[in-house]
Amino acid sequence: MELVSENRSFGGSQQVFKHPSNTCGCEMTFAAYLPPQAQDGPVPVLWYLSGLTCTHENAMTKGGFQEHAAKNGLAVIFPDTSPRGEGVSDDEAYDLGQGAGFYVNATRDPWKTNYRMYDYIVSELRSIIVDNLPVQDRHGITGHSMGGHGAITIAIRNAGLFDSLSAFAPIANPTQSDWGRKQLSAYLGDDESNWADHDATLLLEEHGWKGDLLVDQGAADQFLDLLKPEALADMMARRRQPGQVRMQSGYDHSYFFVNSFARDHVAWHAERLH
């Protein structure tokens, strides 16, 4: 890892690193917030997966997680949303290619060479974090929009690796949404049976989640029809899955929404990780 930047924040340290990724075949960048408690010993980890068009930087600077992480003694990891760089395939559309990795392992050309964000999060970056930072091997995961989709699907498929789970306005049923069908067909092919492992609602129906689940959704979100929170809420009720889907009056899809409820989510994870 190469340290790119470091800034003092709420008694802790906000750091940015870059490293060569064998999984994605390019250089990757991620941010890590270490709370002041990390100076005295390893702390639990909260992963935050960002949404479409974002890099590691958006939530790091706009999400407001550092203050709450410092109070609760959690490290926060902000990965990038896709491979990047010269030679990495891209698309002119904002919702495919660089900035839109969808946290899957692509199996189709031209994406399959670099777009392996599922393995990157679950295996490579996780190992880098545990081996190089003062953290416990105890992890929670959350995310926003495409990142909320990533958080729920990754956690359910890897319940032994994650101990707490939440999401902000996740793409909850991508196999039935234009935010999902386009990307899953491009990355995985047209056989929809290969898409189910990347649909939060379908995974919850098949496997459930070992703990309780917190989801916040803005009731004034301009993308509600694409996110389909009602599918996830209905599945939670049908499966009797412990948790909450909270519709927050007046809130949209922006980082103002994420920032407003970051404290709740950090406290939620801290209670389950400590």
Side-chain angles (χ1 to χ4, degrees):
M1 295 196 307
E2 178 184 341
L3 181 65
V4 176
S5 65
E6 184 173 14
N7 300 93
R8 193 74 167 167
S9 179
F10 295 98
S13 178
Q14 179 61 66
Q15 303 172 345
V16 176
F17 298 94
K18 61 182 179 180
H19 69 98
S21 169
N22 293 325
T23 300
C24 296
C26 63
E27 186 173 77
M28 296 293 286
T29 304
F30 71 93
Y33 176 71
L34 299 177
Q37 294 88 337
Q39 298 171 33
D40 300 320
V43 295
V45 185
L46 175 60
W47 293 73
Y48 179 93
L49 305 186
S50 290
L52 288 166
T53 75
C54 291
T55 70
H56 68 282
E57 187 175 15
N58 297 77
M60 179 186 79
T61 58
K62 298 178 183 179
F65 286 91
Q66 291 86 350
E67 179 179 7
H68 312 305
K71 289 179 179 178
N72 288 277
L74 295 183
V76 185
I77 305 300
F78 304 95
D80 202 347
T81 56
S82 76
R84 297 181 190 271
E86 190 175 342
V88 175
S89 297
D90 199 8
D91 190 272
E92 293 182 358
Y94 77 94
D95 58 354
L96 189 68
Q98 295 188 32
F102 252 75
Y103 305 101
V104 304
N105 289 336
T107 58
R108 293 189 69 195
D109 290 329
W111 313 105
K112 66 182 183 182
T113 301
N114 303 106
Y115 284 75
R116 304 189 60 80
M117 289 302 296
Y118 178 88
D119 280 353
Y120 177 69
I121 298 296
V122 171
S123 299
E124 185 177 35
L125 186 56
R126 181 188 178 95
S127 295
I128 290 172
I129 298 302
V130 171
D131 291 345
N132 293 279
L133 296 179
V135 299
Q136 301 171 11
D137 194 6
R138 188 159 177 80
H139 304 256
I141 190 166
T142 188
H144 174 234
S145 194
M146 178 184 74
H149 138 81
I152 297 174
T153 56
I154 285 173
I156 290 177
R157 293 179 63 188
N158 299 275
L161 300 181
F162 294 95
D163 299 290
S164 57
L165 172 61
S166 74
F168 300 81
I171 302 174
N173 195 193
T175 62
Q176 303 302 316
S177 169
D178 287 343
W179 272 1
R181 296 187 64 83
K182 172 183 178 179
Q183 295 82 0
L184 294 175
S185 62
Y187 295 141
L188 303 178
D190 295 330
D191 183 352
E192 296 188 19
S193 65
N194 294 323
W195 301 359
D197 278 348
H198 303 285
D199 187 302
T201 299
L202 298 181
L203 282 171
L204 190 66
E205 179 180 26
E206 183 175 357
H207 301 289
W209 167 245
K210 64 180 182 181
D212 47 356
L213 169 64
L214 173 63
V215 176
D216 274 308
Q217 171 63 63
D221 193 315
Q222 59 272 45
F223 302 114
L224 272 175
D225 290 342
L226 294 166
L227 301 170
K228 299 191 178 298
E230 68 280 359
L232 184 66
D234 179 61
M235 186 57 66
M236 288 177 65
R238 287 168 52 193
R239 211 183 189 284
R240 301 181 182 178
Q241 171 66 46
Q244 306 174 54
V245 176
R246 309 191 304 189
M247 296 296 292
Q248 302 291 359
S249 178
Y251 285 90
D252 59 16
H253 199 67
S254 69
Y255 273 99
F256 295 109
F257 158 68
V258 174
N259 196 308
S260 297
F261 297 99
R263 179 179 63 179
D264 289 1
H265 284 250
V266 172
W268 168 277
H269 287 277
E271 183 179 347
R272 287 151 182 80
L273 292 173
H274 278 300

